[in-house]
Amino acid sequence: MSVAEKYIGAKTPSKPETIYMLRLADNTLILGQRLSEMCGHAPEMELDIALTNISLDLIGQAKLLFEHILTLEDLAPNADVLAMTRPLEQYTNCLFVAQPNVDFAHIMLKQYLFSTMQKLQYEALLESRDETLAAIAEKSLKEIAYHIRFAKTWLLRLGDGTEESRTRMADALDCLWRFTGEMFVRDAGLADAVNAGLSTDFTQHYDGWTLEVESVFTEAGGLTPPETARMIMGGHQGQHDDNLGHILADMQFMQRSYPGLKW
Amino acid sequence: MYSTDLRTDKEKKSADQQILDDAELWDTFQARIDNGDTIEAKDAMPEKYRQTLTRQISQHAHSEIIGQLPEGNWVTRAPTLKRKLILLAKIQDEAGHGLYLYSAAETLGRSRDDMVADLLSGKAKYSTIFNYPTPTWADIGTIGWLVDGAAIVNQIPLCRCSYGPYARAMVRVCKEESFHQRQGYEIVTTLARGSAEQKAMAQDSLNRFWWPSLMMFGPSDSASTHSSQNMKWNIKRHSNDELRQRFIDATIPQAEFLGLTIPDPDLKWNEERGSYDHGDIDWDEFWAVIKDGGICGKDRIQARRAAAKDGVWVRAAAEAYAAKQSAKEQVA
Ligand SMILES: [Fe+2]
Ligand SMILES: [Fe+2]
Ligand SMILES: [Fe+2]
C-alpha cells in the first residue's frame, strides 16, 4: 500500500468559529513547539525548567483548542491528526510565532510580545457565546500572566544589563518587530468570529498594546522599535515563510511516517 | 548506576593518598553510623566520606542533566500532543532532579559551578547509559521503562542512606522516577500491542538498551573494590550484583507480558535461587564507553558546553542589571 493511500489528513474548517479557533490553536502549538527546541539546551538549568514550563502551557492550550474544535466540526479523527498532519498552507498561525529561537534575547522578546498580545486576544473570549472556549481562555489567562511576568523580567534584565545583552535585545527587536502587526490584524477570520459572537474585537487595543510595550522597551535600556515601513503578514492566510516547513518536518515526522497508528 | 564509582583505578589511588583523616574522627563517626544516625551537613565527617559523597551525588546530578539530552532528541518529534506533553514534563523533572542533587552536593562544600565545570571539562563522569543514541521513538519508552526503572532499584535504598540531604533528595526523586517508569512502560505497551512495525520498533529498542541498562548498576562485585567502605558508611546498602539481580527479576515478567524478548540467550529461571540467571555482561564495552564516551558522549558534552556558553552573557546581564537596580535603590 502506498503512503498516499494510507495518508489520513485533516479537512479544512468551514465555520467562522472553527476557522478562528484553529488560528489560535496553531499559534500556541507552533510557539510551544519552537520553545520546546530549547529543552535541555537553555542557557541556565533554571531557565531550562522555566522555558519547558511555558512550552508545556502553550502546547497544552493548543491541545484543548484542537479538541474543542473537533466537537464543533468533524475535521479529523482526533486532535493529533488535526494538529500534526495538515499541509503547510493549512496552518494559520501568524508568521511571528514561527520565528527561530536565535538566542535567549530573541526567545524572551518573542515570548513577551506574544503573551501580551495573547492576553488581549484571550480576554476578548471571556464573554464568548461559546462557553467552553471562554473557559479555555480563562484557564489560559492564568498561565499567560505568568509568561508575561517571566518574559518581562528578562526583557528588562537583558535590555538594561550589559552592552552585549542590550545589543542582542536590540537585534531581536529589529528582527521580530515587523512581524508583530499580523498578530493584531483585523482580517476576515477575526471579523467573522466577532460577528458570530465568538470573540470581541481585541485589535481595538492595538494602540494601547503598542504604548505599553514601548514603555517597557524604554525601561529596558532605552530600546526603540525599528522604523518599519510595513508589517510582514501572511501566516493567517496560510502563506508562510522559510520557518514553518522545518518546524513541521519535525513535528509531523511520526504522523507522516506511520500514518494512522496509535502511539 | 548514576552514582556508581566510575573512576579508573589510578584516579581512585591518588584520591586515597590525599586523604589523611584523624583516626579518632573515623571511630566516633563510624559509631554514629552504626547507631543509625543521620549525618547532616554541619556534622563532623571524615574527609573521605565527604569526598566520596560529593563525587557520588554530583555524578548523579550530572547524569540527570545529561539524561535530558537523549530524550530531548524526541521532544520536537513526539508522535502525539499527549506524548509531547508527557515527555516535556519528564525532561523537566530530570532537570529538577539535577538541581536538587547539585544542592545536596553543595551542602558538602563544593559549588555547583565547580562541579559543572568538571562535567564540561570531561573530568567528572556521568552514567554511561546516556551516551547511547535514541534513533527511534521506541527508545523514549524503553528509557522510561528500563533506565528510570533501574534508577529506582538503585535509589530506593539510598532513601535511607546515612547522609541526610542525599537521603531526602532521593525520597523526592524516587517518587517521580516511578512515575516516569510507568509512563515509559505505557509507551512500550502501546507499541507492543500496535502494528508489526511498532512491535519491531519496541523489540529493536529493547535489544539496544537491555545490556547498557544492566551496566548501570556498575561493575560486578568481584571487580568493585570500593563497595565495602561505602557499605560501612551506609552510603551503599546492597552490592551492585544484588541490585542488578533485583532489576532483572522485576523486568523480565514485564517484557514477557508484552511478548518482547530479552536479548540474552542464557537467561533462565533458577528454581533454587528463585531468581533469573543471566549471560555475561560485556564489561569491555562498559569501560570503553567510560573512556571514549561511546557513540554520543562527545555530543552530550558539546551540547552542555554550548548551553553554558550562552549562559555566560545571560548571567552577566542579570548580574549587571541587579547591580544597577541596587545602586538605584541606594540613591533613592
Ligand atoms: Fe531523574
Ligand atoms: Fe536519577
Ligand atoms: Fe526519570
Side-chain angles (χ1 to χ4, degrees), chain B residues 57-256:
Chain B
I57 303 172
S58 61
Q59 193 173 293
H60 191 162
H62 300 328
S63 298
E64 301 284 354
I65 296 299
I66 295 284
Q68 291 184 273
L69 299 171
E71 294 183 282
N73 185 35
W74 276 94
V75 162
T76 61
R77 294 179 296 161
T80 70
L81 296 169
K82 182 183 139 199
R83 293 291 182 210
K84 197 187 289 287
L85 292 169
I86 291 175
L87 183 58
L88 277 166
K90 178 188 195 277
I91 300 173
Q92 190 185 35
D93 284 349
E94 307 300 4
H97 297 168
L99 289 182
Y100 203 52
L101 283 158
Y102 281 125
S103 309
E106 279 189 319
T107 63
L108 292 158
R110 277 201 89 196
S111 72
R112 175 174 125 190
D113 284 351
D114 279 358
M115 294 184 271
V116 170
D118 282 352
L119 173 68
L120 300 183
S121 75
K123 193 178 158 206
K125 309 283 198 285
Y126 56 86
S127 179
T128 52
I129 193 76
F130 301 119
N131 284 341
Y132 289 87
T134 51
T136 75
W137 168 251
D139 296 331
I140 299 311
T142 308
I143 286 181
W145 174 31
L146 298 184
V147 176
D148 288 80
I152 296 162
V153 171
N154 188 64
Q155 287 164 203
I156 279 181
L158 291 174
C159 295
R160 292 177 296 127
C161 79
S162 61
Y163 191 55
Y166 192 30
R168 289 189 289 273
M170 284 299 99
V171 171
R172 183 170 143 179
V173 166
C174 277
K175 270 186 206 147
E176 293 182 345
E177 303 297 17
S178 60
F179 205 58
H180 300 162
Q181 195 269 349
R182 281 203 296 277
Q183 289 166 338
Y185 190 65
E186 209 240 312
I187 292 176
V188 180
T189 304
T190 307
L191 298 178
R193 296 191 178 148
S195 70
E197 237 168 348
Q198 286 173 306
K199 192 165 178 180
M201 198 188 275
Q203 182 63 56
D204 163 70
S205 179
L206 176 59
N207 293 348
R208 284 181 289 107
F209 273 95
W210 174 253
W211 292 104
S213 300
L214 298 191
M215 293 176 197
M216 286 173 68
F217 294 91
S220 202
D221 298 320
S222 51
S224 171
T225 49
H226 264 235
S227 287
S228 64
Q229 182 60 58
N230 291 353
M231 291 229 191
K232 265 191 212 152
W233 275 334
N234 193 15
I235 47 187
K236 186 173 177 64
R237 304 178 63 101
H238 307 277
S239 75
N240 293 347
D241 286 337
E242 202 182 327
L243 293 169
R244 182 165 24 242
Q245 185 71 58
R246 213 177 267 185
F247 172 72
I248 291 170
D249 291 345
T251 307
I252 286 171
Q254 295 167 354
E256 279 173 353

Side-chain angles (χ1 to χ4, degrees), chain A residues 5 13 34 44 46 62 96 111-113 117 134 156 164 184 210 216 251-252 255 259:
Chain A
E5 276 174 76
R34 256 299 183 222
E44 290 272 4
E46 285 82 354
F96 183 81
Q111 195 63 52
Y112 176 72
L113 295 173
M117 178 285 298
L156 294 173
E164 180 181 4
F184 286 95
T210 307
V216 173
M251 194 174 74
Q252 299 186 334
Q255 292 282 346

Side-chain angles (χ1 to χ4, degrees), chain A residues 199-215:
Chain A
S199 173
T200 55
D201 180 10
F202 77 97
T203 63
Q204 62 183 313
H205 302 299
Y206 189 20
D207 290 343
W209 175 86
T210 307
L211 284 175
E212 183 195 327
V213 299
E214 282 182 349
S215 87

Side-chain angles (χ1 to χ4, degrees), chain A residues 2-58:
Chain A
S2 73
V3 170
E5 276 174 76
K6 278 210 286 186
Y7 176 69
I8 298 172
K11 294 189 204 92
T12 314
S14 62
K15 301 179 179 178
E17 292 87 349
T18 48
I19 290 171
Y20 188 67
M21 276 186 239
L22 195 59
R23 169 187 303 191
L24 300 179
D26 285 345
N27 269 351
T28 60
L29 176 68
I30 299 301
L31 186 59
Q33 173 80 7
R34 256 299 183 222
L35 207 49
S36 77
E37 293 170 9
M38 295 306 296
C39 184
H41 304 278
E44 290 272 4
M45 296 174 209
E46 285 82 354
L47 295 177
D48 210 300
I49 292 176
L51 295 186
T52 303
N53 221 11
I54 298 175
S55 173
L56 273 168
D57 286 345
L58 292 168

